[in-house]
Amino acid sequence: MSVTICQSMGFVVSALGIGGIIASTCMDQWSTQDLYNNPVTAVFNYQGLWRTCVRESSGFTECRGYFTILGLPAMFQAVRALMIVGIVLGILGLFVCIFAMKCIRIGTMEDSAKANMTLTSGIMFIIAGLCAITGVSVFANMLVTNFWMSTTSMYQGMQNVQNRYTFGSALFVGWVAGGLALVGGIMMCLACKGMVPEESRYKAVSYNASGRNISYRTGPYKAGSGYEPDTKTRKGPGYEEAPRSEDAGRSYPSKYDYV
């Protein structure tokens, strides 16, 4: 029962994590404009993995996608790739996990096969969570580096006002979702350990004869006619041996002796 609960909880937690990773990847608030010491507050800028948006004080929002791939920084493209890999592995892990659920019986599938499928889905969830956490952390490191570079430029007496960007809500969603996927994958691996059937161990038992050792010798087979006298005489209680007459050893002449 505990194995079924652990597997079910792992599936639910992993599904929430994969859903959060998808939502985080599609969100536009990966980086938001820092309004501290910003004299212009009528326009608010925020950026995502796929487009950049501008929201005015009147409520009008305009978004523009990135129409280039080679013009984007390499680390930015790496973050995209990590999030996509995490989503693909997470969705595949969900499909595998559905067929590996212990509470669902499909045909004549054995528990050992379901245990292997559960372990596979758990590993997929763990890798998906690590990809999401790594991608979000790399993007956060880029934001921190650009933020302090912009701050240094502003305090060096430059006249131009530069926009500084800070963490957006999508980063926090990605961190939490990656953690949920990671925890769900660990729970699936623990459930797999309890689903493996115990191997039957048979001990070899040697049987020895209780009496003395008897050796048998094989010899050539001799066919008999079935009319040979029994050479063995069975003696038992009440058996008396008949007296042997004197004529038993006498030989009588045959008819040929008189010729």
Side-chain angles (χ1 to χ4, degrees):
M1 187 65 181
S2 59
V3 176
T4 305
I5 295 176
C6 183
Q7 188 184 33
S8 301
M9 291 298 297
F11 174 76
V12 173
V13 173
S14 300
L16 292 176
I18 300 304
I21 294 174
I22 296 174
S24 174
T25 306
C26 298
M27 291 175 65
D28 295 327
Q29 290 82 13
W30 278 70
S31 60
T32 58
Q33 184 179 357
D34 184 26
L35 299 179
Y36 183 74
N37 289 337
N38 189 4
V40 181
T41 58
V43 179
F44 180 71
N45 299 325
Y46 54 92
Q47 298 176 354
L49 293 180
W50 313 103
R51 59 182 183 175
T52 177
C53 300
V54 177
R55 185 177 63 193
E56 299 179 357
S57 58
S58 59
F60 178 76
T61 302
E62 181 181 1
C63 296
R64 181 175 181 274
Y66 302 117
F67 298 107
T68 181
I69 296 179
L70 299 179
L72 297 174
M75 297 301 293
F76 191 85
Q77 296 182 10
V79 172
R80 279 182 170 182
L82 286 172
M83 299 304 292
I84 292 175
V85 170
I87 292 173
V88 172
L89 289 178
I91 293 176
L92 292 177
L94 289 177
F95 279 112
V96 174
C97 185
I98 290 175
F99 294 101
M101 296 296 292
K102 194 173 182 179
C103 57
I104 300 176
R105 180 65 62 181
I106 301 176
T108 58
M109 185 179 296
E110 299 179 355
D111 291 339
S112 59
K114 286 195 172 186
N116 294 331
M117 295 176 67
T118 302
L119 179 61
T120 303
S121 61
I123 294 175
M124 287 183 176
F125 291 145
I126 292 175
I127 297 177
L130 291 177
C131 287
I133 294 175
T134 304
V136 173
S137 300
V138 169
F139 194 90
N141 182 54
M142 293 171 56
L143 286 180
V144 171
T145 303
N146 294 332
F147 182 87
W148 290 114
M149 290 179 61
S150 301
T151 303
T152 303
S153 301
M154 290 176 59
Y155 284 100
Q156 284 181 354
M158 295 184 179
Q159 299 297 329
N160 57 338
V161 179
Q162 296 183 0
N163 292 330
R164 296 183 303 177
Y165 291 91
T166 184
F167 295 167
S169 58
L171 296 181
F172 301 101
V173 174
W175 274 319
V176 174
L180 289 176
L182 185 61
V183 172
I186 295 175
M187 295 178 67
M188 296 297 291
C189 293
L190 294 177
C192 166
K193 185 177 180 181
M195 293 176 62
V196 177
E198 297 181 357
E199 297 180 358
S200 300
R201 298 179 180 178
Y202 298 96
K203 296 182 179 180
V205 180
S206 59
Y207 295 94
N208 296 326
S210 58
R212 59 183 180 181
N213 296 332
I214 302 174
S215 60
Y216 297 93
R217 292 185 301 175
T218 59
Y221 178 75
K222 180 179 181 181
S225 60
Y227 295 98
E228 291 81 7
D230 189 4
T231 58
K232 294 183 180 179
T233 304
R234 184 176 181 181
K235 296 183 179 181
Y239 176 80
E240 295 180 358
E241 185 177 0
R244 187 174 181 180
S245 62
E246 297 178 357
D247 298 336
R250 183 181 301 175
S251 60
Y252 295 93
S254 62
K255 62 180 180 177
Y256 298 101
D257 296 336
Y258 297 98
V259 177

